[in-house]
Amino acid sequence: METTTDRQAVLVVTAAGSSQRMGGGAKKEFLRLPSGLSVLAGAIEPFVRSLTLCACVVTYKSGDHGALEQAHEAIRTSRLLRETFDGGGVPLILTEGGKDRQESVYNGLEALQAANIPNLASDTIVLVHDGARPFVTEPLIQKTFALACARGAAVPALEPSDTHKEIDENGKITRHLDRSRLAAVQTPQAFLFFPLLEAHRKARAGGKTYTDDTEIWNDYAAPVYTVRGEAANKKITYPADMPQEQQMIHTGLGYDIHRLIAGRPLLLGGVHIPFDRGEDGHSDGDVLLHAVTDALLGAAGLGDIGSYFPPSDMRWKDADSALLLRTAWQTVTEAGWRLGNIDCVVVLEAPKLLPYREHIRQSIADILGAERQLIFVKAKTREKLGEVGSGAAAEAYASCLLYK
Ligand code: MG
């Protein structure tokens, strides 16, 4: 017995619309999805994965300078499609669309017929799909294809979620429709190829305008059957229909400890705090700025303070830690990261830090070019325990959140 997988399929993808509701400029089929694929490539890929295609036609907007090249470029954002069409021997035919959808599909069908595809047979199924429907799934394609193989014509349909009314030209409701008998049809719409081409030729000769291929098939061929559509199989119509890139959020953690010795200034967050001792260190020893620098570099996965400013390098002798932080932060922001917030704890037996807190927050904010509200600093003592508790050292912890 013949199975549907033996049946040949051809694909007609319409990308000839004007994208008026996208609000100017960008043609929706050529926009990029977060995956990097164009909308058009995203709409074609699932067909290549689920069927044995013997050709693919894409219609592009006629009279639009550059539309042909843009369509080629959009399709080739997909490696699978490059392999299929450029290397795999499946013909890709780009053909001018018409003044409306009906004429575009007709042009596509005629282009297939004219291309002399060797495998085109009397039982070949053509699937007509919107180039702006990139969320179509392989199961939906297979289901539609299988039913078209069995019955000659099939289309995915969904019960409308809104209540539909018929209205007249003045907007007055003229008919209340029974929702349980209504269906919103999607694409792909699948038909026997040659009968659909014949039906389109007759429809043209008849001069009537049709909304889609199911109506043409109904008038000139036979009934159309439905499979259950998928709510996610939306057509991109408005800018808000484009999926947004997922935001990335990273946290970072930094820690540092420095000895406190006489004859050095006590620097915390770039602020000089009057005291009889200060941090020992290769640089100026600002323990808080070092912890913040490590938190930011760590969150971005870009190393640590030691890998950028090694203590063995004489360039960083007595270096201003504010400069080190500013340099590290530039590397982080150049990688696309933005600051969520920073929270710090300084562990120090004396002096009291509270009087300097706002000054320290502002100083760190100024180094990063950030708002002070995004940076917080707390102080703790070590309750006289250990080296920090005896006043021999100062410690700092910093955590941060970055996003892009
Ligand atoms: Mg340090």
Side-chain angles (χ1 to χ4, degrees):
M1 206 187 106
E2 187 203 49
T3 64
T4 54
T5 51
D6 302 325
R7 292 281 279 269
Q8 297 290 348
V10 290
L11 178 64
V12 172
V13 178
T14 57
S18 60
S19 293
Q20 268 166 359
R21 282 169 289 187
M22 288 302 281
K27 206 169 142 30
K28 58 197 177 186
E29 289 86 353
F30 303 151
L31 296 176
R32 293 295 182 103
L33 299 165
S35 64
L37 290 190
S38 67
V39 169
L40 180 59
I44 299 173
E45 260 201 1
F47 290 88
V48 172
R49 291 189 202 283
S50 33
L51 302 171
T52 311
L53 286 186
C54 52
C56 173
V57 176
V58 175
T59 67
Y60 62 91
K61 195 168 186 287
S62 66
D64 179 355
H65 193 70
L68 176 61
E69 275 110 87
Q70 278 182 300
H72 265 294
E73 208 176 289
I75 292 163
R76 283 170 177 76
T77 56
S78 154
R79 185 175 157 191
L80 175 67
L81 298 187
R82 290 198 301 273
E83 287 170 359
T84 303
F85 299 133
D86 299 342
V90 175
L92 172 68
I93 303 158
L94 279 95
T95 192
E96 273 196 20
K99 63 179 189 306
D100 55 21
R101 182 190 165 81
Q102 182 184 339
E103 196 173 70
S104 293
V105 174
Y106 169 77
N107 288 357
L109 297 172
E110 289 287 6
L112 270 168
Q113 164 79 338
N116 283 315
I117 310 295
N119 294 327
L120 228 49
S122 65
D123 65 352
T124 297
I125 298 290
V126 59
L127 296 104
V128 181
H129 187 59
D130 296 324
R133 272 188 213 268
F135 312 116
V136 62
T137 63
E138 293 169 45
L140 184 65
I141 292 168
Q142 281 158 353
K143 225 165 38 172
T144 310
F145 179 70
L147 189 62
C149 287
R151 315 209 72 161
V155 58
L158 266 187
E159 189 186 316
S161 50
D162 296 324
T163 305
H164 285 53
K165 307 291 180 188
E166 196 175 273
I167 57 172
D168 67 12
E169 62 280 9
N170 300 316
K172 188 181 80 186
I173 292 176
T174 51
R175 212 147 63 97
H176 300 272
L177 304 167
D178 176 3
R179 196 162 81 178
S180 68
R181 302 297 297 271
L182 288 177
V185 301
Q186 308 178 322
T187 73
Q189 304 194 345
F191 310 88
L192 285 164
F193 173 74
F194 287 109
L196 183 67
L197 176 59
E198 266 325 296
H200 261 274
R201 284 173 176 167
K202 287 177 186 158
R204 267 174 85 79
K208 187 181 152 191
T209 305
Y210 292 84
T211 55
D212 70 355
D213 302 292
T214 65
E215 196 184 355
I216 294 173
W217 184 269
N218 251 168
D219 268 14
Y220 295 100
V224 180
Y225 296 86
T226 61
V227 296
R228 188 167 179 77
E230 292 177 357
N233 180 26
K234 274 192 307 187
K235 185 174 178 175
I236 291 174
T237 308
Y238 299 99
D241 297 332
M242 281 297 285
Q244 296 305 304
E245 197 121 16
Q246 283 279 319
Q247 194 173 69
M248 263 213 286
I249 294 175
H250 279 196
T251 65
L253 177 65
Y255 166 80
D256 202 14
I257 183 166
H258 280 244
R259 276 173 208 286
L260 293 176
I261 58 167
R264 294 271 295 186
L266 178 62
L267 286 162
L268 288 167
V271 175
H272 184 191
I273 293 164
F275 195 49
D276 60 358
R277 280 159 288 157
E279 297 111 321
D280 191 14
H282 183 63
S283 66
D284 66 13
D286 191 322
V287 71
L288 177 54
L289 289 188
H290 294 182
V292 168
T293 305
D294 261 358
L296 295 170
L297 286 171
L302 288 170
D304 58 36
I305 192 166
S307 58
Y308 282 87
F309 315 106
S312 55
D313 190 333
M314 284 314 287
R315 269 186 301 166
W316 312 118
K317 175 98 180 78
D318 296 322
D320 177 356
S321 296
L323 179 69
L324 306 189
L325 174 56
R326 198 176 289 121
T327 308
W329 180 234
Q330 192 181 339
T331 312
V332 172
T333 54
E334 277 168 5
W337 294 102
R338 298 289 170 264
L339 183 65
N341 77 307
I342 296 173
D343 189 23
C344 312
V345 179
V346 177
V347 191
L348 184 71
E349 213 57 26
K352 287 255 170 280
L353 279 195
L354 196 58
Y356 304 98
R357 171 147 76 197
E358 294 314 305
H359 197 175
I360 292 170
R361 290 176 71 193
Q362 188 63 55
S363 166
I364 297 171
D366 289 346
I367 295 165
L368 301 175
E371 295 296 321
R372 184 174 55 175
Q373 301 91 273
L374 302 184
I375 291 141
F376 204 75
V377 178
K378 303 180 291 293
K380 289 275 172 197
T381 71
R382 191 67 99 186
E383 295 287 330
K384 305 225 170 0
L385 296 167
E387 290 88 352
V388 175
S390 72
E395 264 182 329
Y397 300 82
S399 73
C400 73
L401 189 141
L402 300 181
Y403 66 91
K404 70 171 168 185

